[in-house]
Amino acid sequence: QVQLVESGGGLVQPGGSLKLSCAASRSILSIYVMGWYRQAPGKQRELVATITSGGSTTYADSVKGRFTISRDNAKNTMDLQMNNLKPEDTAVYYCNAPLSWDNIWGQGTQVTVSS
């Protein structure tokens, strides 16, 4: 089994930056794809970005050019660098690791973009 713990959320002004981190309790080398999701109040959880073990990435259209996902298989971490943040980016952000026998989620970290 693997546990995921997010960190790095907070309050930031529009146009600002935050970096989220997801730490895994064991090696992530064998986890083919990992991702970041977010859920705003009253809305469904949505996919933000994914990254494979080889480094291939995908992004939601709403964050392309502003967010960058990365992972360090040696450190068992996955990051999300968020730049030029907008109020509509306000949400709880979750890291995710879909395994063949389970779908693992972190506890989430709150990101609030407000002046």
Side-chain angles (χ1 to χ4, degrees):
Q1 191 58 289
V2 60
Q3 294 180 324
L4 305 174
V5 178
E6 302 96 335
S7 61
L11 173 64
V12 64
Q13 292 187 341
S17 298
L18 279 177
K19 185 175 184 178
L20 305 182
S21 293
C22 174
S25 59
R26 66 153 178 84
S27 173
I28 63 172
L29 189 59
S30 63
I31 302 176
Y32 175 65
V33 63
M34 297 180 68
W36 285 97
Y37 288 72
R38 67 186 181 187
Q39 187 166 18
K43 294 188 177 181
Q44 289 189 331
R45 191 171 297 189
E46 65 174 358
L47 178 65
V48 175
T50 66
I51 186 167
T52 68
S53 54
S56 297
T57 59
T58 65
Y59 295 93
D61 287 343
S62 58
V63 307
K64 279 182 182 176
R66 300 187 298 121
F67 290 11
T68 302
I69 189 171
S70 61
R71 66 190 275 179
D72 188 328
N73 293 327
K75 295 182 178 179
N76 303 326
T77 58
M78 178 179 66
D79 294 336
L80 185 69
Q81 176 66 46
M82 305 185 295
N83 298 327
N84 189 22
L85 282 160
K86 303 176 180 180
E88 52 264 41
D89 295 318
T90 296
V92 178
Y93 284 71
Y94 299 88
C95 64
N96 171 256
L99 308 180
S100 57
W101 62 90
D102 201 355
N103 195 18
I104 309 300
W105 295 93
Q107 83 287 352
T109 185
Q110 176 71 47
V111 171
T112 302
V113 185
S114 175
S115 55

